[in-house]
Amino acid sequence: MTARQLRWWSWIHKWSSLICTIFALLLCLTGLPLIFHEELGPNPAIDEVAEPGVRASVDTMIAEALAERPGEVVPYLFYDREKPIVKIPTAASMTSAPDTFFYKVFDVRTGKALSADQPNEGFIYVMLRLHADLFAGIKGTLFLGSMGLLLTVSILSGMVLYGPFARRLKFGEIRKRHSNRLRWLDLHNLLGIITLAWFGIVTLTGVINTLAAPIELMWQSNQLLDMAAQNRGQAQGDRKAPVDLVLANVRAAVPGMTVTTLAFPGSPFSTPTHYAAFLTGDTPLTSRILKPAIIDAASGEVVAVRDMPWYATALFVSQPLHFGDYGGLPLKIIWAVLDIVTIVILASGLYLWLARWRTSRTAAADMRAAATEFAR
Amino acid sequence: MTSRRTLWLIPALLALVTLLGLLAALIGESGIWWPLSWATLAVPCVCSLYYLVRGLMPPPQ
C-alpha cells in the first residue's frame, strides 16, 4: 500500500468511525440486555397439563380479552415460538400503532388467562426502542440504519488498515513499554481483527433489520394484494368466520408448519376482507422465515399460500444473526461477551482519536510558544 | 517484518471459524450443530478476552 492510499484509508476510517461511534456505543450498550430479552422480559408462569396437545378455543379467549377492554378491537394474534402461549392485543382501531396495544396472554392448551407484564413497557421495552428507533419511529430506525452503514465502512476500512499497522508485529503482540496510546492502538487493532467477522455480520444484519418497514410496505403493496386478488369477485360481507375455523383451515392447508401470527381483516398485514396467517417451520432457520396464507374472512377458506419474496427472506434470515437468540443460552453468553469486546474496541477508537488530537494540539501550542520565544 | 501470508493467516482462520459457528446454529439445533456453534464461536471470544487481559497487564520489569 502506498503512503497516499494509507492516508486515504486512514481518513475514511477516522471519519466513518467518528460520526457513528457514539451511536454504535449506544447500540452495543442497549443491545446487551436485549440479547437476554427472553430471560429478562415479561415471562408468564406456565402450568403443567395432562394433555399438552389439546388446544382451547381461541374465539373464547378473544371474547374474554374484548370483554376486559370494551369498545376495542383485536388486530392480531401472536403465538410464542417457544412456549404454549398466545398474546392477544386489543387496540382502539385495527390500524393503531403497536405501542398502544394492550396485551392479554393466554395458555393455548387450557384457554386460561395468564398474568404477565405488558411487553410495551418496562426496562427491556425502553432498551428496545432506544436500540431500534431512538423513540423516533421510522425516521429513527432509518437514521440508525445509516449509522450502521457508516459502521460497516469503518469495519471494512479498519480491516484494510490492519495490514500496514500490524506488519511489524507478531499476531497478538501488544507494545506496552512505549506509551498508553500505543498499547491501546495495538489492542484496538488486535481485538478488531479477532472479532471482525462477528462484528461485520451483526452490523450488516442490523442495517438490513432497519429496512423492515420498507420491506413490509413492498410486500403489502405487491404480494399481499396479489394473493388476495385470487378470490376477487366472490361475495363479501361483514360476516366473519370464527377464528378457530380459520386456524383449523390454515393448519390443514399447510401441514408441518406452525401459525405464529394471525392478522385480522382490516389490519395493516391483511386486507379488509381477508385474514392473513403467517406460518413458520421448526428448524432454527425455517422458524424465522414466515410463509403467508390468505384466508377469506367470510367463509374462512384458505385463498392462497406462497413463499415470501427474496427481500423478505433476507430480512428474516438476518434477524437471528443480529439478535444471537438462535442457539440457546450459551450462544447468548458468547454474543454478550463479543458485544462487550466491541464496546472496548469502540471506546478505544475514541480514546485513540482524542489522545492524538490532544497531542497535536499540545504540539501546535509548543510550536507557537517556541516561535514566539524565537521572535523575541 | 511479517510476510503478508503470515500476517493474514490467523485473522483469516478466525473469520472462517466465526462464520462456521454463526451458520452451524442456524442449520440445526439437534445433534452436533449447537455444540459446534458454541465451540467455534468461543474461539474469537476466548482469544479476545485473553489478549485484552494480557494487554491490560503492566509490562514485565
Side-chain angles (χ1 to χ4, degrees):
Chain A
M1 188 182 285
T2 62
R4 195 178 161 174
Q5 284 172 326
L6 184 66
R7 272 201 305 277
W8 192 81
W9 279 110
S10 298
W11 187 87
I12 297 269
H13 187 64
K14 181 172 89 174
W15 285 105
S16 57
S17 310
L18 271 180
I19 296 168
C20 72
T21 291
I22 293 300
F23 296 99
L25 272 170
L26 172 83
L27 291 171
C28 286
L29 287 169
T30 53
L32 197 55
L34 288 177
I35 297 168
F36 301 100
H37 71 98
E38 281 165 342
E39 289 76 10
L40 299 171
N43 238 338
I46 313 286
D47 294 333
E48 290 289 323
V49 292
E51 290 178 84
V54 171
R55 284 200 187 101
S57 164
V58 176
D59 286 299
T60 311
M61 298 179 216
I62 290 171
E64 193 180 329
L66 286 173
E68 209 173 290
R69 311 278 294 181
E72 295 198 345
V73 290
V74 171
Y76 302 99
L77 293 183
F78 298 113
Y79 283 89
D80 195 276
R81 202 182 293 133
E82 309 288 338
K83 301 182 192 103
I85 58 174
V86 60
K87 290 177 200 154
I88 302 182
T90 56
S93 78
M94 295 305 276
T95 51
S96 294
D99 56 356
T100 64
F101 288 179
F102 179 83
Y103 289 88
K104 189 108 177 127
V105 182
F106 294 89
D107 188 319
V108 294
R109 305 157 304 171
T110 60
K112 201 176 115 187
L114 303 171
S115 157
D117 294 334
Q118 291 297 305
N120 47 7
E121 58 189 35
F123 174 70
I124 286 293
Y125 177 69
V126 172
M127 292 296 108
L128 178 66
R129 291 296 305 269
L130 281 173
H131 192 85
D133 66 0
L134 298 169
F135 286 94
I138 181 71
K139 284 180 192 164
T141 304
L142 293 176
F143 172 75
L144 288 177
S146 63
M147 291 298 111
L149 264 184
L150 273 178
L151 189 58
T152 311
V153 172
S154 162
I155 293 168
L156 288 175
S157 55
M159 183 185 79
V160 173
L161 290 172
Y162 174 78
F165 274 92
R167 69 185 170 185
R168 290 176 197 282
L169 302 170
K170 281 187 289 184
F171 183 84
E173 191 179 335
I174 298 155
R175 291 165 291 181
K176 293 190 258 186
R177 290 185 183 278
H178 305 276
S179 71
N180 229 12
R181 193 181 172 278
L182 202 57
R183 176 204 295 246
W184 277 106
L185 175 68
D186 288 346
L187 262 174
H188 179 82
N189 290 338
L190 185 61
L191 295 177
I193 205 72
I194 291 173
T195 56
L196 177 85
W198 179 85
F199 194 21
I201 295 271
V202 171
T203 306
L204 205 58
T205 50
V207 173
I208 296 172
N209 276 318
T210 63
L211 301 175
I215 287 172
E216 284 163 7
L217 209 63
M218 264 172 85
W219 179 77
Q220 285 160 329
S221 55
N222 298 324
Q223 305 273 317
L224 176 64
L225 296 180
D226 191 36
M227 287 170 79
Q230 291 188 20
N231 80 329
R232 193 176 282 164
Q234 286 187 13
Q236 305 287 355
D238 285 343
R239 192 173 70 86
K240 287 198 175 59
V243 175
D244 286 320
L245 176 70
V246 169
L247 291 170
N249 285 345
V250 170
R251 286 175 184 133
V254 197
M257 295 192 87
T258 312
V259 176
T260 56
T261 302
L262 183 71
F264 282 62
S267 69
F269 286 89
S270 61
T271 77
T273 52
H274 296 88
Y275 286 93
F278 296 88
L279 300 106
T280 58
D282 55 3
T283 69
L285 184 60
T286 58
S287 70
R288 309 295 175 138
I289 299 174
L290 300 178
K291 187 180 203 134
I294 300 297
I295 305 104
D296 185 281
S299 66
E301 294 297 320
V302 176
V303 173
V305 181
R306 70 165 68 157
D307 289 328
M308 280 284 197
W310 68 267
Y311 49 83
T313 305
L315 171 69
F316 298 143
V317 174
S318 75
Q319 285 173 340
L321 286 169
H322 185 72
F323 305 144
D325 59 351
Y326 63 106
L329 190 60
L331 191 70
K332 289 183 183 184
I333 294 168
I334 288 169
W335 227 257
V337 172
L338 290 170
D339 187 66
I340 292 166
V341 173
T342 305
I343 293 172
V344 174
I345 297 168
L346 291 170
S348 60
L350 204 56
Y351 162 77
L352 289 169
W353 175 74
L354 279 172
R356 185 165 197 162
W357 181 69
R358 213 179 297 147
T359 312
S360 59
R361 271 188 57 151
T362 314
D366 288 349
M367 275 182 73
R368 275 198 303 276
T372 315
E373 195 68 27
F374 185 72
R376 279 177 190 165
Chain B
M1 190 175 300
T2 315
S3 74
R4 184 176 290 196
R5 199 173 146 189
T6 320
L7 178 73
W8 286 105
L9 183 68
I10 298 174
L13 283 175
L14 279 166
L16 272 177
V17 163
T18 305
L19 291 176
L20 178 65
L22 290 172
L23 290 177
L26 262 189
I27 293 168
E29 57 184 64
S30 55
I32 62 156
W33 295 114
W34 275 18
L36 178 68
S37 170
W38 302 334
T40 45
L41 282 173
V43 175
C45 223
V46 171
C47 279
S48 306
L49 290 180
Y50 171 74
Y51 287 117
L52 180 62
V53 171
R54 221 178 71 154
L56 292 177
M57 285 200 309
Q61 296 301 313

